[in-house]
Structure formats: C-alpha cells, structure tokens
Amino acid sequence: MKVINLSEQPSLLNQYLKEMRSVDTQKDSMRFRRNIERIGEIMAVEISKHLTYATEQVQTPLATAEVQVPQDKVVLGTILRAGLPLHQGFLNMYDHAENAFVSAYRKEVEDDHGNVQLEIVSEYLAAPSLENKTLMLVDPMLATGMSMEIAYKALLNHGTPRHLHLVCAFATPQAINYLQENIPQEATLWCAVIDPVLNEKKYIVPGLGDAGDLCFGGKL
C-alpha cells in the first residue's frame, strides 16, 4: 500500500492543521469543522491528480475548447460521525460523486479475567454499488486503523471498487502498519500528517483530542 504524507511538503494545509491542534482555536467548533472541511478540499484536489482523464470538447461563446476531464465513477465513503466534515470537503470538490456511510464506534469490553479490550462496533451501512468504481474512504483520525478496516470490509458487501483511496487527517505509524497488513496492497493511503505516538487509551499524540466531540459536542 502506498502511503502519502502531505505535511512533508510546506503548504496551506499546515495552517489548518495548526488551528485544529490549538486548544484555543478548538473552542470554536464551527471553525474546527470548517478546517477539517478545508483539509478535505485540499486532499481531494491532490487525489484528483491520480484519477483517469479523457479529452472532451466544450463549446464556449467564441470557439470549441478541449478539456481534460476525470472519468472515474467516484464513491465517497465516510465513517460516522467525525468523518462528516471531511466528507463534505471532498463532496465540495467531487460534487457528482455517489456517497456511502458506515457507523463505527469504540467499545470497551471486559473479559472473564477483568482485562478491558477495545473493540470497534459497526451497526449502520448505506452505500451504492461500488463495483468497478473509485472509492475514497475518509475519516479524520486514523489511530489504530481498525475502524477504517471494518468500514472498508463492510462496504465490500456492495461490490469491489476498481481503485481504493483511504484518507485521514491524522495518522499513527501503528495504524499505517495495521492497514498495510489488512488492506489490499494496491490501495493508496493519504495522510495530512503522521503523528508519532498512540497512547494507552488509543489516542493520537500530539493529535488534537476527540475529533467527533470537537465537531459536534460531547456524548454520553
């Protein structure tokens, strides 16, 4: 699996990452959501450079022009709920795309010996056919990689995509290694930034905290 870390090159993307990390800027949930959306827009354009194009003609008021137009049938897949602003950023760019949604949340389960294990639970799926299409599966936080894997495998019930792009804002090396072991090798993983640490509570460090809560408020 090819891994692309967009923060390795200086760009406006880093300004939005800075604001998302800041405990002061995070107090403005509307700005936090918009910054995730902006990151989605930037990443969507970067991915567009790797699509399939064909020349089409368009009639202007003065003459006929030739334009290179993407030919891929795109499906934008999102993991609820934190993925919604990132999804919107992609949808702003790929406004003709079909859409898919998968729920995934963390659940702590205690075994017979009192040990607590983290499980990812998925209970909802809505998707079009993915057969022979380009799937862009987006989620802002790639901590362990388990949610992304579960979402992808759930979506396979709707067909096998021709191309697979996995997209996140923040990732860890552990999650990248996990996906490389559990996702097809021809996939591409796009990261806005890769942070070095996954702590004992499975949070990305330095990261930014809980993206879903920062976007939409806390939960019980």
Side-chain angles (χ1 to χ4, degrees), residues 50-66:
H50 297 261
L51 300 180
T52 302
Y53 287 79
T55 301
E56 296 185 8
Q57 293 187 335
V58 58
Q59 183 65 47
T60 81
L62 302 177
T64 300
E66 291 189 346

Side-chain angles (χ1 to χ4, degrees), residues 51-53 71-75 129-136 152 156 158-165 184 186-188:
L51 300 180
T52 302
Y53 287 79
Q71 300 299 298
D72 299 61
K73 295 180 179 179
V74 175
V75 177
S129 170
L130 303 179
E131 195 65 35
N132 208 34
K133 297 177 182 177
T134 296
L135 174 61
M136 301 179 189
Y152 168 68
L156 288 179
H158 290 257
T160 303
R162 182 179 181 184
H163 299 292
L164 175 61
H165 297 275
E186 60 270 18
T188 303

Side-chain angles (χ1 to χ4, degrees), residues 51-191:
L51 300 180
T52 302
Y53 287 79
T55 301
E56 296 185 8
Q57 293 187 335
V58 58
Q59 183 65 47
T60 81
L62 302 177
T64 300
E66 291 189 346
V67 184
Q68 292 289 318
V69 178
Q71 300 299 298
D72 299 61
K73 295 180 179 179
V74 175
V75 177
L76 302 177
T78 301
I79 302 176
L80 301 174
R81 63 179 171 153
L84 290 173
L86 190 61
H87 179 97
Q88 185 60 53
F90 271 76
L91 192 56
N92 291 344
M93 301 293 104
Y94 299 103
D95 56 343
H96 294 96
E98 297 178 282
N99 297 272
F101 300 92
V102 183
S103 71
Y105 64 91
R106 298 180 177 198
K107 182 178 181 180
E108 292 185 350
V109 178
E110 185 173 326
D111 63 21
D112 296 335
H113 303 287
N115 300 314
V116 176
Q117 301 293 330
L118 179 65
E119 291 186 1
I120 304 297
V121 180
S122 179
E123 297 177 340
Y124 175 83
L125 170 65
S129 170
L130 303 179
E131 195 65 35
N132 208 34
K133 297 177 182 177
T134 296
L135 174 61
M136 301 179 189
L137 182 55
V138 309
D139 191 26
M141 310 301 288
L142 191 68
T144 66
M146 294 171 62
S147 294
M148 189 74 82
E149 178 207 11
I150 288 174
Y152 168 68
K153 291 183 176 177
L155 287 168
L156 288 179
N157 291 318
H158 290 257
T160 303
R162 182 179 181 184
H163 299 292
L164 175 61
H165 297 275
L166 305 176
V167 184
C168 64
F170 294 80
T172 66
Q174 294 94 323
I176 293 171
N177 292 336
Y178 181 86
L179 291 181
Q180 286 175 327
E181 294 175 357
N182 293 279
I183 296 290
Q185 290 300 309
E186 60 270 18
T188 303
L189 174 61
W190 298 79
C191 310

Side-chain angles (χ1 to χ4, degrees), residues 196-214:
V197 177
L198 181 67
N199 69 14
E200 66 279 359
K201 294 185 178 181
K202 307 302 181 184
Y203 277 93
I204 300 172
V205 181
L208 48 74
D210 189 303
D213 288 354
L214 290 168

